Amino acid sequence: MIRCALLCALATSLAIALFAQTDAAAQTAMGPPDPMPVATRYLDAYARFDLAALHEFWDDASVFQDPTTAEIGAPLGPVRGAKAITKALRGSTQGVTNLSFRFEETFHSGGRVVAIGRLLYTMPAKMLSKTEGDLEFDLRVVTVLHIEGDRVREHTDYSDFSGWRAKIAAATH
């Protein structure tokens, strides 16, 4: 009787161990979890440029950058950590109005999400040393996110600033 109980316990333990290995193998075969639910919420907050909502997706390991900003001034990033990212984004957009993103296409592969769309904002005349005539911008933008769990580990923007300087020059002369 004791021998039977011992064998039953051993068989149960073996079955549980085999099931756990099979379940882990199935999860590995399926790949990482779908990042789109997190990315959709994040991109919605980014489209509204809601820094408080975005801050909740970042932690001390998160990194933000837009290397294309080097075309119009100092490059933005890489900036590490939620507080630093929030501060950098607030500073880099100081004075502009009507800032928003309109994402027209998204896709993902693994933990990376790519969003393609438009960056829209207004530079008030006073930022341009003009007395009147705000300047509207509608730039192409590609946002690449690296999602891990419910966190955005990396956010990289690539914006089309190719005609930005010429538009500023034409408006101020």
Side-chain angles (χ1 to χ4, degrees):
M1 178 96 126
I2 294 174
R3 188 173 186 199
C4 180
L6 185 59
L7 286 175
C8 286
L10 182 61
T12 301
S13 296
L14 183 58
I16 290 171
L18 287 173
F19 177 76
Q21 287 179 346
T22 302
D23 191 45
Q27 179 63 32
T28 301
M30 292 185 331
D34 182 2
M36 287 308 290
V38 172
T40 298
R41 290 191 312 276
Y42 180 85
L43 290 169
D44 180 56
Y46 196 48
R48 297 185 320 272
F49 207 68
D50 182 344
L51 292 176
L54 291 167
H55 189 91
E56 299 302 314
F57 289 92
W58 301 319
D59 60 19
D60 290 342
S62 298
V63 176
F64 184 97
Q65 63 184 334
D66 183 344
T68 56
T69 56
E71 197 168 336
I72 61 170
L76 179 58
V79 180
R80 181 175 301 278
K83 288 179 183 176
I85 294 169
T86 302
K87 181 180 178 182
L89 289 175
R90 187 172 287 118
S92 71
T93 59
Q94 188 173 7
V96 301
T97 60
N98 305 319
L99 178 66
S100 66
F101 293 85
R102 187 179 65 235
F103 294 108
E104 299 158 352
E105 182 180 355
T106 59
F107 65 91
H108 76 90
S109 181
R112 303 266 192 242
V113 174
V114 176
I116 303 166
R118 313 299 293 186
L119 164 58
L120 310 162
Y121 65 94
T122 302
M123 285 185 78
K126 64 184 175 187
M127 285 184 75
L128 301 166
S129 300
K130 294 172 48 177
T131 56
E132 57 185 66
D134 297 345
L135 197 54
E136 304 288 329
F137 286 91
D138 179 349
L139 309 173
R140 293 179 295 181
V141 66
V142 175
T143 296
V144 181
L145 307 174
H146 179 204
I147 309 276
E148 286 181 353
D150 63 348
R151 297 288 178 207
V152 174
R153 287 288 163 237
E154 295 174 23
H155 175 144
T156 304
D157 277 346
Y158 300 95
S159 303
D160 181 6
F161 289 112
S162 60
W164 193 89
R165 286 188 189 276
K167 188 169 186 172
I168 296 286
T172 56
H173 285 75

